[in-house]
Amino acid sequence: MTMQNRLTVQALQWTGDALKVLDQRQLPEKIVYDEYKDAEGVTEAIASMRVRGAPAIGIAAAYGVVLSVRKQYAQSNQWRKKVAADIDMLAKSRPTAVNLFWALDRMKAELANQLENPLAAMLACAEKIHADDLAANHKMGELGADILAGAKGVMTHCNAGALATGGYGTALGVIRSAYQRQRINVFAGETRPWLQGARLTVWELSQDGIPATLIADSAAAWLMKSGAIDWIVVGADRIAANGDAANKIGTYSLAVLARQHGVKLMVAAPTSTIDWTIENGDKIEIEQRNPNELLPACYSEKGSLVSAWNPVFDVTPAELISAIVTERGVVLNPSEHSMRGLKNAI
Ligand code: MRU
């Protein structure tokens, strides 16, 4: 079996009457799947980051709508109202990844058209969102690997892998495809404070037999100075119409450092991550999470003079990005103008 056909680790599994979610908070020590049978459970799974990563959040929410229809359709003739309330609840689970709202909008549109057999139609729509994302990842993998031809080393940040998507990954999909063509040195930043790089990325790559070297986030500048990497490859949570890209906190710092050191930055993301309604990244809502994710327990006591600021995404301006890779094509040196070319091609 080629690496591309091999089944990478799965964040989400539909069982026929429930959604199984791999609890990413427990990785890599424990592989535990939780089973959800209603939209409330799926909302909590997203908010608590059992499932995380922009495309995976959207896919999980789509299955959440299926579970809602399944429950409410059988119970009440007011079911459409109740499903609409569940969709609103799912939409409030996390604010930054636009894939969440994109997937919910698709499910809403499908529901509006279904009078006869809504459950079957909604499940088909969620499964299509899931399958299309996986196919998009493979396409991006090939396009991104073309660009990385000849590169000796790459660095990634956070986890934009199979765990964060329908499978295969965006940034890690590109790295997987590139590694298949030629051995390439892969570095991953720890990604404080939640440690997606240390707990998820290097583990996920090792599951696929791809060696990776973990670095402290603060070692990135020194790594770039050493000449070991040619590219930084990351995913995105929301890309504005001018190419500004929101991704895990720390991506912006890497982009600034990359420019200083002649390293290039690639953002790999499906077109479902592009928010054409906002002209630039200033309009992207940046999620602030609980300071306790950052604060050592001794400081979280009442009366402590120590607080924490915990924005979990930042926005990298388009001018610091060398390439945005989507399943519908590559935008080099993104700008409002070049992004419009992609939009017109979709
Ligand atoms: O807070 P997270 O772990 O959901 O953040 C995830 C990221 O920032 C990813 O890089 C992004 O969602 C792309 S995943 C393909």
Side-chain angles (χ1 to χ4, degrees):
M1 207 170 359
T2 67
M3 192 188 293
Q4 234 193 38
N5 295 329
R6 207 154 74 189
L7 199 59
T8 45
V9 61
Q10 276 186 295
L12 299 165
Q13 290 172 359
W14 178 252
T15 67
D17 66 350
L19 180 65
K20 278 172 71 173
V21 173
L22 176 58
D23 185 352
Q24 298 190 27
R25 301 169 316 170
Q26 302 199 50
L27 289 174
E29 282 85 11
K30 287 189 194 145
I31 298 180
V32 176
Y33 280 88
D34 297 318
E35 219 173 87
Y36 296 96
K37 293 210 166 184
D38 57 26
E40 207 170 359
V42 176
T43 304
E44 202 278 325
I46 296 171
S48 62
M49 292 177 63
R50 284 173 168 80
V51 56
R52 30 84 31 218
I57 291 171
I59 297 163
Y63 285 118
V65 179
V66 177
L67 291 169
S68 172
V69 173
R70 207 168 179 276
K71 185 172 162 189
Q72 309 295 359
Y73 185 61
Q75 281 182 6
S76 144
N77 51 12
Q78 295 280 296
W79 67 272
R80 278 187 187 271
K81 246 180 157 169
K82 294 192 169 173
V83 171
D86 280 348
I87 291 176
D88 287 348
M89 176 179 65
L90 282 159
K92 291 195 180 101
S93 56
R94 290 190 76 185
T96 305
V98 78
N99 305 63
L100 171 67
F101 311 105
W102 172 87
L104 290 174
D105 283 348
R106 277 192 57 173
M107 295 299 280
K108 265 196 251 181
E110 185 64 27
L111 189 61
N113 286 333
Q114 290 309 321
L115 302 173
E116 291 299 317
N117 190 351
L119 186 52
M122 297 310 285
L123 178 57
C125 189
E127 285 180 327
K128 181 157 168 43
I129 288 172
H130 195 166
D132 285 354
D133 188 65
L134 180 57
N137 286 344
H138 283 290
K139 182 74 195 175
M140 281 182 270
E142 293 306 307
L143 293 174
D146 288 346
I147 297 175
L148 293 186
K152 296 183 310 295
V154 295
M155 178 185 169
T156 189
H157 186 57
C158 193
N159 172 269
L163 287 166
T165 61
Y168 203 65
T170 56
L172 290 196
V174 169
I175 289 172
R176 281 187 163 93
S177 296
Y179 189 84
Q180 254 184 296
R181 295 185 193 181
Q182 60 170 91
R183 294 298 171 254
I184 188 166
N185 296 318
V186 182
F187 295 86
E190 292 180 288
T191 319
R192 288 199 170 261
W194 213 78
L195 298 177
Q196 286 93 333
R199 294 188 306 100
L200 307 179
T201 292
V202 291
W203 176 77
E204 181 183 322
L205 289 174
S206 72
Q207 298 295 300
D208 253 3
I210 301 177
T213 303
L214 184 65
I215 63 162
D217 294 329
S218 47
W222 201 237
L223 177 75
M224 292 185 214
K225 172 105 173 122
S226 78
I229 60 167
D230 311 283
W231 281 89
I232 294 169
V233 185
V234 293
D237 285 80
R238 194 184 293 225
I239 300 174
N242 70 343
D244 291 351
N247 191 48
K248 179 52 53 192
I249 190 78
T251 305
Y252 174 48
S253 324
L254 291 175
V256 172
L257 292 172
R259 186 55 56 97
Q260 166 74 12
H261 293 95
V263 169
K264 290 181 176 164
L265 174 66
M266 178 192 297
V267 174
T271 48
S272 54
T273 302
I274 304 175
D275 185 346
W276 297 109
T277 69
I278 53 170
E279 68 260 33
N280 63 52
D282 294 347
K283 305 267 159 51
I284 300 175
E285 183 180 346
I286 298 296
E287 179 182 8
Q288 300 275 340
R289 288 187 69 88
N290 192 324
N292 291 342
E293 288 184 351
L294 196 57
L295 278 178
C298 61
Y299 297 127
S300 39
E301 280 157 22
K302 227 175 144 208
S304 168
L305 293 179
V306 181
S307 60
W309 182 55
N310 189 21
V312 298
F313 299 101
D314 56 26
V315 177
T316 298
E319 71 211 47
L320 295 180
I321 301 172
S322 297
I324 294 180
V325 175
T326 78
E327 81 285 12
R328 302 302 294 265
V330 173
V331 180
L332 295 175
N333 304 316
S335 64
E336 192 192 334
H337 177 74
S338 56
M339 288 294 287
R340 205 174 311 127
L342 173 70
K343 190 178 180 193
N344 293 338
I346 294 175

Short mmCIF file of all heavy atoms in Angstrom, two decimals, residues 270-300:
data_model
loop_
_atom_site.label_atom_id
_atom_site.label_comp_id
_atom_site.label_asym_id
_atom_site.label_seq_id
_atom_site.Cartn_x
_atom_site.Cartn_y
_atom_site.Cartn_z
N PRO A 270 -7.94 24.28 2.43
CA PRO A 270 -8.98 24.09 1.40
C PRO A 270 -9.74 25.40 1.18
O PRO A 270 -9.71 26.30 2.03
CB PRO A 270 -9.89 23.03 2.02
CG PRO A 270 -9.68 23.15 3.50
CD PRO A 270 -8.27 23.61 3.69
N THR A 271 -10.44 25.50 0.06
CA THR A 271 -11.17 26.75 -0.22
C THR A 271 -12.29 26.99 0.80
O THR A 271 -12.75 28.12 0.95
CB THR A 271 -11.74 26.76 -1.66
OG1 THR A 271 -12.40 25.51 -1.89
CG2 THR A 271 -10.64 26.93 -2.68
N SER A 272 -12.67 25.94 1.55
CA SER A 272 -13.68 26.15 2.61
C SER A 272 -13.11 26.99 3.75
O SER A 272 -13.86 27.43 4.63
CB SER A 272 -14.16 24.79 3.14
OG SER A 272 -13.07 23.99 3.55
N THR A 273 -11.81 27.23 3.76
CA THR A 273 -11.18 28.06 4.80
C THR A 273 -11.11 29.53 4.36
O THR A 273 -10.71 30.39 5.14
CB THR A 273 -9.76 27.50 5.12
OG1 THR A 273 -9.90 26.14 5.55
CG2 THR A 273 -9.05 28.26 6.21
N ILE A 274 -11.49 29.80 3.11
CA ILE A 274 -11.42 31.19 2.65
C ILE A 274 -12.75 31.88 2.93
O ILE A 274 -13.82 31.37 2.56
CB ILE A 274 -11.09 31.28 1.14
CG1 ILE A 274 -9.78 30.54 0.87
CG2 ILE A 274 -11.00 32.75 0.70
CD1 ILE A 274 -9.42 30.45 -0.61
N ASP A 275 -12.68 33.01 3.60
CA ASP A 275 -13.87 33.81 3.90
C ASP A 275 -13.88 35.00 2.93
O ASP A 275 -13.25 36.02 3.19
CB ASP A 275 -13.82 34.28 5.36
CG ASP A 275 -15.09 35.01 5.78
OD1 ASP A 275 -15.88 35.38 4.88
OD2 ASP A 275 -15.27 35.21 6.98
N TRP A 276 -14.60 34.82 1.83
CA TRP A 276 -14.59 35.85 0.78
C TRP A 276 -15.35 37.09 1.23
O TRP A 276 -15.29 38.13 0.57
CB TRP A 276 -15.22 35.30 -0.51
CG TRP A 276 -14.46 34.16 -1.12
CD1 TRP A 276 -14.85 32.86 -1.15
CD2 TRP A 276 -13.18 34.20 -1.79
NE1 TRP A 276 -13.91 32.08 -1.78
CE2 TRP A 276 -12.87 32.88 -2.20
CE3 TRP A 276 -12.28 35.23 -2.08
CZ2 TRP A 276 -11.70 32.55 -2.87
CZ3 TRP A 276 -11.11 34.90 -2.77
CH2 TRP A 276 -10.83 33.59 -3.16
N THR A 277 -16.08 37.00 2.36
CA THR A 277 -16.89 38.15 2.80
C THR A 277 -16.06 39.19 3.55
O THR A 277 -16.54 40.28 3.83
CB THR A 277 -18.06 37.71 3.71
OG1 THR A 277 -17.53 37.26 4.97
CG2 THR A 277 -18.90 36.62 3.08
N ILE A 278 -14.84 38.84 3.93
CA ILE A 278 -14.04 39.86 4.65
C ILE A 278 -12.83 40.25 3.81
O ILE A 278 -12.12 39.39 3.28
CB ILE A 278 -13.60 39.38 6.05
CG1 ILE A 278 -12.89 38.03 6.01
CG2 ILE A 278 -14.77 39.32 7.02
CD1 ILE A 278 -12.25 37.67 7.32
N GLU A 279 -12.64 41.57 3.70
CA GLU A 279 -11.60 42.01 2.76
C GLU A 279 -10.19 41.80 3.29
O GLU A 279 -9.25 41.64 2.53
CB GLU A 279 -11.83 43.44 2.27
CG GLU A 279 -11.67 44.53 3.28
CD GLU A 279 -13.00 45.03 3.85
OE1 GLU A 279 -13.97 44.26 3.99
OE2 GLU A 279 -13.04 46.23 4.20
N ASN A 280 -10.03 41.83 4.64
CA ASN A 280 -8.68 41.61 5.17
C ASN A 280 -8.74 40.98 6.55
O ASN A 280 -9.83 40.83 7.12
CB ASN A 280 -7.87 42.91 5.18
CG ASN A 280 -8.48 43.94 6.09
OD1 ASN A 280 -8.76 43.66 7.25
ND2 ASN A 280 -8.73 45.14 5.57
N GLY A 281 -7.57 40.65 7.06
CA GLY A 281 -7.49 39.88 8.30
C GLY A 281 -7.92 40.64 9.55
O GLY A 281 -8.18 40.03 10.59
N ASP A 282 -8.01 41.99 9.45
CA ASP A 282 -8.44 42.76 10.64
C ASP A 282 -9.84 42.36 11.09
O ASP A 282 -10.22 42.58 12.23
CB ASP A 282 -8.47 44.27 10.34
CG ASP A 282 -7.09 44.80 10.06
OD1 ASP A 282 -6.11 44.08 10.34
OD2 ASP A 282 -6.99 45.93 9.53
N LYS A 283 -10.61 41.80 10.15
CA LYS A 283 -12.01 41.49 10.46
C LYS A 283 -12.17 40.09 11.08
O LYS A 283 -13.29 39.67 11.34
CB LYS A 283 -12.85 41.56 9.17
CG LYS A 283 -12.73 42.86 8.43
CD LYS A 283 -13.84 43.81 8.85
CE LYS A 283 -13.54 45.26 8.56
NZ LYS A 283 -13.13 45.62 7.23
N ILE A 284 -11.06 39.37 11.24
CA ILE A 284 -11.18 37.99 11.75
C ILE A 284 -11.27 38.00 13.28
O ILE A 284 -10.41 38.60 13.94
CB ILE A 284 -9.98 37.13 11.29
CG1 ILE A 284 -9.94 37.07 9.75
CG2 ILE A 284 -10.08 35.70 11.87
CD1 ILE A 284 -8.74 36.34 9.17
N GLU A 285 -12.29 37.34 13.81
CA GLU A 285 -12.39 37.27 15.27
C GLU A 285 -11.35 36.28 15.79
O GLU A 285 -11.28 35.13 15.36
CB GLU A 285 -13.80 36.81 15.72
CG GLU A 285 -13.90 36.82 17.24
CD GLU A 285 -15.24 36.39 17.81
OE1 GLU A 285 -16.24 36.30 17.06
OE2 GLU A 285 -15.29 36.11 19.02
N ILE A 286 -10.55 36.74 16.73
CA ILE A 286 -9.50 35.90 17.32
C ILE A 286 -10.01 35.34 18.65
O ILE A 286 -10.35 36.11 19.55
CB ILE A 286 -8.20 36.73 17.54
CG1 ILE A 286 -7.66 37.26 16.19
CG2 ILE A 286 -7.15 35.90 18.27
CD1 ILE A 286 -7.22 36.21 15.21
N GLU A 287 -10.05 34.04 18.73
CA GLU A 287 -10.54 33.39 19.95
C GLU A 287 -9.57 33.65 21.11
O GLU A 287 -8.36 33.51 20.97
CB GLU A 287 -10.65 31.88 19.71
CG GLU A 287 -11.12 31.10 20.92
CD GLU A 287 -11.18 29.59 20.64
OE1 GLU A 287 -10.71 29.13 19.58
OE2 GLU A 287 -11.72 28.87 21.52
N GLN A 288 -10.16 34.01 22.25
CA GLN A 288 -9.39 34.12 23.50
C GLN A 288 -9.83 32.95 24.35
O GLN A 288 -11.03 32.80 24.60
CB GLN A 288 -9.76 35.42 24.24
CG GLN A 288 -9.49 36.68 23.48
CD GLN A 288 -8.05 37.16 23.63
OE1 GLN A 288 -7.35 36.77 24.57
NE2 GLN A 288 -7.61 37.99 22.70
N ARG A 289 -8.90 32.15 24.82
CA ARG A 289 -9.31 31.01 25.65
C ARG A 289 -8.97 31.27 27.12
O ARG A 289 -8.33 32.27 27.47
CB ARG A 289 -8.68 29.71 25.13
CG ARG A 289 -9.33 29.26 23.81
CD ARG A 289 -8.86 27.92 23.34
NE ARG A 289 -9.30 26.82 24.15
CZ ARG A 289 -10.47 26.16 23.99
NH1 ARG A 289 -11.30 26.51 23.02
NH2 ARG A 289 -10.78 25.16 24.78
N ASN A 290 -9.44 30.37 27.94
CA ASN A 290 -9.30 30.51 29.38
C ASN A 290 -7.83 30.71 29.78
O ASN A 290 -6.97 29.91 29.39
CB ASN A 290 -9.85 29.21 30.02
CG ASN A 290 -10.02 29.35 31.51
OD1 ASN A 290 -9.22 30.01 32.18
ND2 ASN A 290 -11.06 28.73 32.02
N PRO A 291 -7.54 31.75 30.56
CA PRO A 291 -6.15 31.98 31.00
C PRO A 291 -5.56 30.77 31.71
O PRO A 291 -4.35 30.57 31.71
CB PRO A 291 -6.28 33.15 31.97
CG PRO A 291 -7.57 33.81 31.65
CD PRO A 291 -8.47 32.77 31.06
N ASN A 292 -6.42 29.95 32.30
CA ASN A 292 -5.91 28.78 33.02
C ASN A 292 -5.24 27.75 32.11
O ASN A 292 -4.54 26.87 32.59
CB ASN A 292 -7.02 28.11 33.83
CG ASN A 292 -7.46 28.98 34.98
OD1 ASN A 292 -6.73 29.90 35.36
ND2 ASN A 292 -8.64 28.74 35.50
N GLU A 293 -5.47 27.86 30.77
CA GLU A 293 -4.74 26.97 29.86
C GLU A 293 -3.25 27.32 29.86
O GLU A 293 -2.42 26.55 29.42
CB GLU A 293 -5.29 27.10 28.43
CG GLU A 293 -6.67 26.49 28.24
CD GLU A 293 -7.15 26.56 26.80
OE1 GLU A 293 -6.51 27.23 25.96
OE2 GLU A 293 -8.19 25.93 26.51
N LEU A 294 -2.96 28.54 30.32
CA LEU A 294 -1.60 29.07 30.28
C LEU A 294 -0.98 29.18 31.67
O LEU A 294 0.21 28.96 31.86
CB LEU A 294 -1.68 30.46 29.63
CG LEU A 294 -0.46 31.15 29.10
CD1 LEU A 294 0.22 30.29 28.06
CD2 LEU A 294 -0.89 32.47 28.44
N LEU A 295 -1.82 29.53 32.64
CA LEU A 295 -1.32 29.84 33.99
C LEU A 295 -1.00 28.59 34.79
O LEU A 295 -1.84 27.70 34.89
CB LEU A 295 -2.40 30.59 34.77
CG LEU A 295 -2.57 32.08 34.57
CD1 LEU A 295 -3.74 32.56 35.42
CD2 LEU A 295 -1.31 32.84 34.94
N PRO A 296 0.19 28.52 35.37
CA PRO A 296 0.42 27.45 36.34
C PRO A 296 -0.63 27.53 37.46
O PRO A 296 -1.06 28.64 37.82
CB PRO A 296 1.82 27.77 36.88
CG PRO A 296 2.45 28.62 35.82
CD PRO A 296 1.34 29.40 35.18
N ALA A 297 -1.06 26.39 37.98
CA ALA A 297 -2.19 26.34 38.91
C ALA A 297 -2.03 27.29 40.09
O ALA A 297 -3.00 27.90 40.55
CB ALA A 297 -2.38 24.91 39.39
N CYS A 298 -0.79 27.47 40.55
CA CYS A 298 -0.60 28.30 41.75
C CYS A 298 -1.01 29.76 41.52
O CYS A 298 -1.30 30.49 42.45
CB CYS A 298 0.84 28.23 42.22
SG CYS A 298 2.01 28.83 41.01
N TYR A 299 -1.04 30.20 40.23
CA TYR A 299 -1.41 31.58 39.95
C TYR A 299 -2.90 31.75 39.69
O TYR A 299 -3.38 32.86 39.53
CB TYR A 299 -0.67 32.11 38.72
CG TYR A 299 0.82 32.18 38.89
CD1 TYR A 299 1.66 31.58 37.98
CD2 TYR A 299 1.38 32.88 39.96
CE1 TYR A 299 3.03 31.65 38.12
CE2 TYR A 299 2.76 32.95 40.11
CZ TYR A 299 3.57 32.33 39.19
OH TYR A 299 4.92 32.39 39.33
N SER A 300 -3.62 30.63 39.54
CA SER A 300 -5.04 30.79 39.21
C SER A 300 -5.91 30.94 40.46
O SER A 300 -7.11 31.07 40.36
CB SER A 300 -5.53 29.67 38.31
OG SER A 300 -4.97 28.46 38.67
#
